Amino acid sequence: MSQQQKTFRRIVTGHDDKGNAVIVSDAPPVHTQLVGGPGGPTFFEIWHTNETPALIMAQPGDRDEEGLMLPPPGNGTRLRMIEFPPEGEEIRKLTVADAVAKFRSMGEAEASTSSSSAPHPLMHKTKTVDYGIVLEGEITLVLDKDETTLSAGDIVIQNGTNHAWANRSGKICRMVFILIDGAAE
């Protein structure tokens, strides 16, 4: 099955030297990465902040990062879109070592909570509060003891929970995530 990625623009605003609001850039996201090879999700890294409160800069630009990073920077935020292709047998047959390797490729091997008794091989947990918004398609949120299917327009607020995403629909699912660095109480 051929799945074509839709393109989208990332418009960044700022200010000119007179303080007028202007468009600083208008282009597709600079950082895009396919995770885990063919059949894996594509991450579109849209923006991140390194601090809270976020710095409001006159001419904001991309901040350098080495490769894909799963969580936001400490005390920061991250905005990304992920295209989840339909889940195939290659995902369901992942070993614990395979799952850890996939999270290592996102800069956070320790996020993997995969085990032989886990409800999904790509279970993981981060110290973040995440807002996930389904733009297109449907996807199943898998938790330790529950699961629910989300459709376009649905929003999930994830509070540092152990989870995985399973696209059982047969079509691409596109989600936007806002990740906020967190701390356990």
Side-chain angles (χ1 to χ4, degrees):
M1 171 186 332
S2 172
Q3 301 282 346
Q4 286 199 338
Q5 292 177 350
K6 291 183 181 177
T7 57
F8 64 95
R9 299 163 35 209
R10 180 192 71 168
I11 296 110
V12 179
T13 64
H15 297 91
D16 66 15
D17 58 358
K18 294 182 177 148
N20 296 306
V22 296
I23 294 172
V24 174
S25 68
D26 182 345
V30 177
H31 304 288
T32 301
Q33 184 171 331
L34 175 64
V35 175
T42 300
F43 282 62
F44 299 88
E45 298 300 278
I46 300 170
W47 198 256
H48 71 272
T49 63
N50 289 329
E51 62 283 309
T52 302
L55 292 178
I56 298 173
M57 298 176 276
Q59 293 288 307
D62 288 310
R63 297 185 177 183
D64 292 333
E65 282 189 329
E66 293 297 319
L68 179 64
M69 300 301 295
L70 185 63
N75 296 316
T77 64
R78 183 170 309 283
L79 173 63
R80 72 167 42 110
M81 183 168 56
I82 302 178
E83 285 188 349
F84 294 95
E87 187 173 289
E89 282 300 310
E90 68 278 358
I91 297 294
R92 291 185 280 276
K93 292 181 177 179
L94 287 174
T95 66
V96 170
D98 293 336
V100 169
K102 289 192 182 300
F103 286 98
R104 184 177 297 112
S105 76
M106 295 182 267
E108 184 101 353
E110 56 278 358
S112 177
T113 58
S114 184
S115 72
S116 60
S117 62
H120 192 279
L122 291 176
M123 296 296 286
H124 63 286
K125 185 175 183 178
T126 57
K127 291 180 185 170
T128 58
V129 173
D130 305 340
Y131 306 142
I133 306 158
V134 180
L135 299 177
E136 177 183 325
E138 70 177 41
I139 197 155
T140 301
L141 170 62
V142 181
L143 301 172
D144 293 329
K145 299 292 182 187
D146 286 314
E147 67 176 52
T148 189
T149 300
L150 293 86
S151 300
D154 290 342
I155 301 167
V156 61
I157 294 89
Q158 180 117 300
N159 288 292
T161 54
N162 194 36
H163 70 285
W165 298 102
N167 183 349
R168 301 170 181 156
S169 72
K171 297 180 182 176
I172 286 222
C173 176
R174 292 180 114 195
M175 287 187 75
V176 166
F177 292 91
I178 297 103
L179 295 82
I180 305 164
D181 186 40
E185 63 177 338

